[in-house]
């Protein structure tokens, strides 16, 4: 029977019908390899544990591995404590303290809550077993954490061990030493992200500048390829990778270290409170982690966190409610909303639900009542748009615009953006909402804010086309005269250099604009509607501000190379780059001509045989003043140019009359920054009368008498 049974089993195994071998447990296998490495000592065990944790990847499995290797973890913690107690220094190839700290920190970054607690408690308890309660000298242990902090690493473990030392073992002085290292790491990451954001946004501004200058002379496919090739240039690619890496590292550190920072801030630690606030202020400007910042504010507004909010307020500058509202909620809202829109357009509506839920959570809180009231207004708008969009009065959302706080403006912009999204995705409500948007009459802030929201959505999705169906609706909410006032005020702001320095911080209007222009600027012009003018214009007036940041020779060479890689024909490349001053190309692009007319006109203007460009430029000024665009602008310019060439005196008279428009001078904009529409209208009527007197046929043919202040081509004059 035994022989027969053995034969049967062998036959079954050979035929594949026998019992299935047990599936290997990757955690157990990893733990076995760690124990084998442990024969060479605790440092070798931690090195192996880090390697195995990296292979597993999943925090739950890493926690299980740390639990399986708890003996090895405690042995390594004991080694650290012995080296502190006995003043054993790392030297030469013996770097036990630094090696163990680095490996434990890397493991903690990969672990979940359970694994982090197990490692931090092991280290804290072994220190308590060997050190006196008032011991503050940790020999090289705190040095090892500070070295990691200099690289923006180690904050999670340092904060976790510090918290356990202070609250679990009574080693207050020693815990504070590690606490400083942990908060230093958070501060390092915060600073690195701010710097990387600023540098990246300078590159975005450069791309916006290029598209504004060259885009009108390129096909839609060429513009897309130009943008793609731009980010392949090592200098630009490195800036983008550096920003994304710094963003991810800070977000991970804040998520991992938040429980310890909050606990320590509650106990009165000033540095923990500051780093907690500063970290989320900076993360609020991230399109991928703005929702984390909003979640932080929602938690801080809960009644059970009143003591924590009070501690943060005590140890940070300014009114806490204002800082939370203006530095976090106002900055994070358009980015979180943009991310939610991107997710919805990719088939996941949960993002929009989560965004609405965050707004409701902030509004339901009781610790910051004024902030909650502002946010509840947006929640009510979002609810109306879900249930009965026709109830929403968009003009009421933006009423008393100049009197609104930064938070109030952000909530209004989010409401307008939500209306645009609803109109574009719900055909049954589109007409009613479009009529309401027309009453907004927004200036630069409203328009830029809404464009920034949809620009963020396109960035998250990695596709400009995603925003294409929303952008045309933005034009419904634009008021041309208000836009002119706002752009004039911005361009003539003596502090505009500070705006450039603030690129990427999320508090700069210029930074927001520069960030959305490159991706929206690659959309087909026909898809942009009225908002297209603004999108191109922003690149134009940013051009004038950042021109000179790069060596001109290098800039010209790179642009020529990118145009070639984008597939732009050689003759067009040579024309587009014939003048290193891109203002002419950018200004001409605002006249809305098709590609062929744009290139033809640019060729005429840059023709060496052109003796005097004044007639041409004056004719372009006239087309812009009277709001002529496209084919009509081209024909008008050609006819008026010929008239000016025949009559130099008429040219001089017209140049003097229309000169006030070139920068929306003080004759148009009051000292207080408000638009004097009556003055603007009077000036325009004077130009109309003069034009009708000198060129009656052209005035009649192009309906010059019917031009109003709203028709003036703001983009053209802003680009100048």
């Amino acid at each position: 029977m035994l022989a027969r049974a053995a034969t049967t089993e062998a036959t079954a195994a050979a035929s594949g019908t026998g019992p299935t071998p047990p599936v290997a447990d990757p955690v157990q296998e990893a733990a076995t390899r760690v124990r084998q490495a442990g024969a060479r000592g605790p440092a070798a065990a931690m090195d192996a544990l880090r390697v195995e944790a990296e292979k597993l990847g999943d925090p739950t499995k890493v926690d299980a591995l740390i639990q399986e290797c708890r003996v090895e973890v405690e042995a390594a913690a004991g080694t650290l404590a012995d080296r502190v107690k006995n003043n054993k220094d790392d030297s030469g190839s013996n770097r036990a303290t630094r090696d163990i700290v680095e490996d434990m920190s890397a493991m903690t970054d990969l672990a979940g809550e359970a694994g982090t607690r197990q490692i931090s408690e092991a280290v804290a308890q072994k220190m308590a077993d060997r050190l006196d309660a008032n011991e503050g000298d940790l020999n090289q242990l705190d040095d090892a954490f500070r070295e990691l902090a200099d690289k923006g690493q180690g904050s999670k473990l340092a904060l976790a061990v510090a918290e356990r030392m202070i609250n679990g073992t009574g080693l207050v002085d020693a815990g504070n030493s590690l606490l400083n290292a942990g908060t230093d790491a958070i501060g390092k990451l915060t600073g690195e992200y701010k710097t990387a954001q600023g540098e990246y946004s300078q590159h975005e501004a450069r791309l916006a500048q290029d598209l504004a200058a060259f885009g009108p002379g390129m096909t839609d496919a060429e513009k897309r390829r130009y943008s793609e090739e731009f980010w392949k240039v090592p200098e630009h690619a490195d800036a983008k990778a550096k920003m994304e890496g710094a963003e991810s590292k800070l977000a991970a550190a804040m998520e991992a270290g938040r429980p310890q920072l909050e606990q320590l801030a509650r106990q009165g630690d000033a540095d923990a409170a500051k780093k907690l606030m500063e970290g989320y202020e900076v993360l609020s400007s991230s399109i991928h982690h703005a929702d984390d910042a909003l979640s932080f504010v929602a938690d801080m507004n809960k009644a059970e966190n009143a003591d924590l909010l009070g501690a943060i307020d005590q140890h940070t500058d300014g009114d806490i409610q204002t800082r939370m509202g203006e530095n976090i909620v106002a900055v994070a809202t358009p980015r979180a909303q943009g991310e939610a829109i991107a997710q919805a357009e990719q088939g996941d509506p949960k993002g929009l639900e989560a965004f609405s839920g965050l707004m409701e959570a902030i509004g339901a809180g009781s610790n910051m009542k004024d902030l909650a009231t502002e946010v509840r207004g947006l929640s009510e708008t979002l609810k109306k748009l879900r249930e009965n969009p026709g109830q929403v009065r968009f003009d009421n959302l933006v009423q008393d615009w100049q009197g609104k706080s930064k938070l109030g403006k952000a909530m209004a912009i989010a409401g307008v953006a939500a209306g645009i999204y609803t109109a574009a995705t719900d055909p049954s409500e589109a007409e009613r909402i479009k009529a309401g948007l027309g009453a907004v009459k927004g200036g630069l802030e409203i328009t830029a804010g809404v464009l920034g929201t949809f620009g963020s959505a396109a960035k998250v999705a990695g596709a400009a086309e995603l925003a294409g169906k929303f952008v045309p609706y933005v034009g419904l909410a634009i008021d041309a005269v208000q836009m002119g006032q706002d752009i004039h005020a911005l361009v003539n702001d003596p502090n505009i250099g500070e705006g450039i320095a603030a690129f990427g911080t999320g508090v700069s209007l210029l930074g927001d604009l520069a960030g959305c222009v490159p991706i929206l600027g690659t959309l087909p012009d026909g898809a942009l509607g009225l908002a297209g003018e603004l999108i191109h214009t922003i690149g134009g007036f940013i051009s004038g501000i950042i021109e000179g940041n790069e060596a001109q020779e290098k800039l010209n060479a790179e642009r020529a190379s990118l145009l070639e890689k984008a597939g732009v024909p050689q003759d067009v490349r040579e024309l587009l780059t014939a003048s290193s001053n891109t203002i002419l190309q950018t200004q001409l692009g605002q006249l809305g001509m098709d590609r062929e007319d744009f290139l033809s006109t640019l060729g005429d203007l840059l023709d060496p045989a052109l003796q005097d460009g004044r007639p041409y430029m004056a004719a372009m000024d006239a087309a812009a003043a009277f709001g002529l665009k496209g084919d009509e602008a081209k024909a008008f310019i050609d006819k008026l140019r010929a008239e000016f060439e025949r009559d130099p005196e008429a040219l001089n008279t017209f140049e003097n009359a229309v000169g006030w428009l070139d920068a929306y001078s003080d004759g148009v904009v009051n000292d207080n920054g408000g638009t004097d529409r009556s003055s603007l209208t009077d000036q325009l009527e004077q130009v109309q009368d003069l034009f009708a007197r000198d060129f009656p046929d052209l005035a009649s043919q192009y309906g010059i008498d019917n031009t109003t202040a709203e028709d003036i081509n703001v983009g053209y004059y802003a680009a100048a």
Side-chain angles (χ1 to χ4, degrees):
M1 291 291 292
L2 289 173
R4 182 177 179 183
T7 302
T8 303
E9 288 174 2
T11 303
S15 64
T17 59
T20 303
V23 177
D25 183 340
V27 172
Q28 292 294 338
E29 290 185 338
T32 298
R33 289 190 287 271
V34 171
R35 294 187 188 105
Q36 291 170 347
R40 301 193 303 275
M46 291 303 96
D47 180 61
L49 187 53
R50 172 187 55 78
V51 171
E52 297 298 336
E54 289 171 349
K55 289 179 184 177
L56 291 172
D58 177 36
T60 302
K61 291 180 179 179
V62 173
D63 285 355
L65 176 62
I66 293 171
Q67 170 64 20
E68 284 294 324
C69 298
R70 57 191 177 278
V71 173
E72 287 72 23
V73 169
E74 290 183 3
T79 296
L80 289 177
D82 286 338
R83 293 176 72 80
V84 170
K85 177 69 175 177
N86 299 313
N87 290 317
K88 290 184 179 179
D89 293 340
D90 290 349
S91 61
S93 60
N94 183 3
R95 311 177 63 252
T97 298
R98 285 170 173 78
D99 287 346
I100 291 174
V101 167
E102 289 175 6
D103 288 333
M104 282 185 166
S105 293
M107 282 185 287
T108 304
D109 289 341
L110 294 166
E113 183 178 347
T116 300
R117 184 172 59 250
Q118 186 156 356
I119 293 175
S120 61
E121 287 183 349
V123 174
Q125 190 57 55
K126 293 298 182 183
M127 293 293 171
D129 291 345
R130 290 162 174 77
L131 303 181
D132 295 332
N134 59 355
E135 180 64 65
D137 182 4
L138 294 178
N139 195 27
Q140 290 187 331
L141 181 65
D142 51 346
D143 294 336
F145 276 109
R146 286 195 178 90
E147 288 176 11
L148 287 177
D150 287 340
K151 296 183 285 187
Q153 300 170 2
S155 61
K156 184 177 181 181
L157 179 60
L159 292 171
V161 174
E163 192 277 326
R164 284 292 80 209
M165 281 183 168
I166 294 169
N167 295 319
T169 66
L171 294 174
V172 176
D173 291 340
N176 281 329
S177 183
L178 291 187
L179 172 61
N180 291 336
T183 53
D184 284 350
I186 294 286
K188 179 83 172 178
L189 290 173
T190 301
E192 286 179 352
Y193 181 42
K194 288 174 70 174
T195 300
Q197 263 193 323
E199 292 174 355
Y200 171 68
S201 291
Q202 290 283 359
H203 292 264
E204 284 191 308
R206 228 303 299 286
L207 179 55
Q209 180 186 35
D210 289 5
L211 290 174
F214 305 142
M218 301 165 70
T219 65
D220 296 333
E222 288 167 354
K223 285 188 287 186
R224 285 195 298 272
R225 284 198 295 271
Y226 189 98
S227 183
E228 291 167 0
E229 292 296 331
F230 180 91
W231 292 115
K232 292 179 184 178
V233 174
E235 181 182 353
H236 308 315
D238 288 348
K240 186 176 183 180
K242 185 178 178 182
M243 184 277 294
E244 291 174 344
E247 175 187 55
S248 297
K249 286 166 68 176
L250 176 60
M254 291 303 297
E255 180 182 12
R258 180 179 163 184
Q260 287 77 31
L261 287 173
E262 289 184 354
Q263 178 66 24
L264 294 164
R266 270 192 168 95
Q267 295 170 209
D269 188 89
D271 209 27
K274 289 176 182 176
K275 294 301 187 292
L276 192 60
M277 187 69 184
E278 290 169 1
Y280 283 110
E281 282 180 322
V282 174
L283 272 185
S284 66
S285 61
S286 161
I287 60 173
H288 297 106
H289 300 287
D291 54 341
D292 294 342
L294 291 176
S295 179
F296 169 70
V297 176
D299 288 342
M300 293 305 99
N301 210 23
K302 293 177 179 176
E304 60 264 32
N305 287 322
D307 61 332
L308 175 56
L309 185 68
I312 295 173
D313 190 16
Q314 180 182 353
H315 296 295
T316 55
D317 297 330
D319 174 66
I320 190 64
Q321 188 162 196
T322 301
R323 281 189 68 178
M324 287 279 186
E326 299 200 350
N327 295 3
I328 297 183
V329 179
V331 177
T333 295
R335 290 156 176 81
Q337 187 178 26
E339 183 181 36
I341 288 171
Q343 292 168 351
E345 288 301 290
Q346 293 174 317
D348 182 7
K350 292 181 180 177
L352 284 172
E353 295 172 8
F355 173 73
S356 295
L358 278 174
M359 294 296 105
E360 290 172 7
I362 294 173
S366 58
N367 296 333
M368 297 177 281
K369 292 184 171 58
D370 292 342
L371 184 154
T373 299
E374 290 278 16
V375 175
R376 276 199 300 273
L378 173 59
S379 292
E380 291 167 5
T381 299
L382 297 177
K383 183 178 180 181
K384 287 178 182 178
L385 285 170
R386 290 193 301 268
E387 297 176 354
N388 186 359
Q391 291 181 341
V392 180
R393 288 287 305 273
F394 294 100
D395 53 335
N396 286 348
L397 296 183
V398 300
Q399 194 172 23
D400 187 28
W401 183 256
Q402 295 305 323
K404 288 184 180 295
S405 65
K406 182 178 177 181
L407 175 60
K409 289 179 178 180
M411 296 301 98
I413 287 170
V416 173
I420 289 172
Y421 178 81
T422 303
T425 55
D426 185 353
S428 66
E429 297 291 346
E431 291 307 314
R432 282 202 296 173
I433 293 176
K434 285 164 66 176
L437 291 171
V440 171
K441 297 188 180 300
L444 187 60
E445 280 188 297
I446 293 174
T447 311
V450 175
L451 283 177
T453 298
F454 293 112
S456 293
K459 279 186 178 182
V460 170
E465 292 77 9
L466 180 144
K469 70 180 183 182
F470 306 117
V471 173
Y473 289 90
V474 179
L476 298 174
I478 296 175
D479 178 86
V481 176
Q482 186 65 48
M483 190 74 68
Q485 170 218 333
D486 293 346
I487 290 177
H488 169 86
L490 185 60
V491 173
N492 289 279
D493 185 347
N495 298 317
I496 197 160
E498 296 176 11
I500 293 296
F503 265 5
T505 63
V507 300
S508 166
L509 176 63
L510 286 177
D512 292 343
L513 290 173
C516 73
V517 168
I519 192 162
L520 297 179
T522 62
L523 290 169
D525 287 339
L528 297 174
L530 296 175
E533 177 181 314
L534 176 66
I535 292 171
H536 295 311
T537 297
I538 299 309
F541 85 81
I542 287 175
S543 277
I545 299 166
I546 70 170
E547 195 77 57
N549 283 2
E550 298 181 60
Q552 195 65 53
E553 186 176 342
K554 175 188 173 187
L555 181 60
N556 293 343
E558 183 184 301
R559 284 171 164 168
S561 174
L562 289 172
L563 287 168
E564 182 177 6
K565 290 178 180 178
V568 178
Q570 182 175 350
D571 59 332
V572 177
R573 296 200 305 269
E574 292 175 352
L575 179 58
L576 291 174
T577 57
S579 171
S580 59
N581 183 344
T582 57
I583 291 177
L584 174 62
Q585 295 96 311
T586 305
Q587 235 186 335
L588 181 59
Q590 307 309 309
L591 293 173
M593 299 179 187
D594 62 27
R595 179 173 173 271
E596 288 72 21
D597 283 346
F598 170 84
L599 292 172
S600 171
T601 304
L602 182 61
D604 290 344
L605 285 164
L606 297 177
D607 189 343
L610 183 66
Q611 298 277 322
D612 184 5
R614 286 175 58 224
Y616 226 135
M617 294 303 299
M620 288 168 56
D621 286 349
F626 301 139
L628 301 177
K629 295 279 188 75
D631 294 344
E632 193 175 42
K634 171 65 174 171
F636 175 84
I637 289 168
D638 288 342
K639 292 175 184 177
L640 183 57
R641 171 199 174 193
E643 294 286 349
F644 282 149
E645 288 174 342
R646 282 193 293 269
D647 188 350
E649 187 59 36
L651 170 61
N652 292 335
T653 302
F654 184 81
E655 282 182 325
N656 291 332
V658 81
W660 56 272
L661 271 170
D662 280 342
Y664 266 67
S665 68
D666 289 340
V668 182
V669 180
N670 292 332
D671 290 339
N672 65 5
T675 302
D676 185 343
R677 290 175 185 249
S678 62
S679 174
L680 179 58
T681 300
D682 289 344
Q683 295 275 15
L684 182 61
E685 288 176 354
Q686 291 176 31
V687 176
Q688 289 170 319
D689 292 344
L690 177 67
F691 193 86
R693 184 196 72 188
D694 292 345
F695 310 106
D697 292 342
L698 284 177
S700 174
Q701 180 180 354
Y702 289 95
I704 301 304
D705 285 347
N706 297 324
T707 301
T708 67
E710 282 74 15
D711 296 319
I712 296 173
N713 188 331
V714 177
Y716 178 90
Y717 290 102

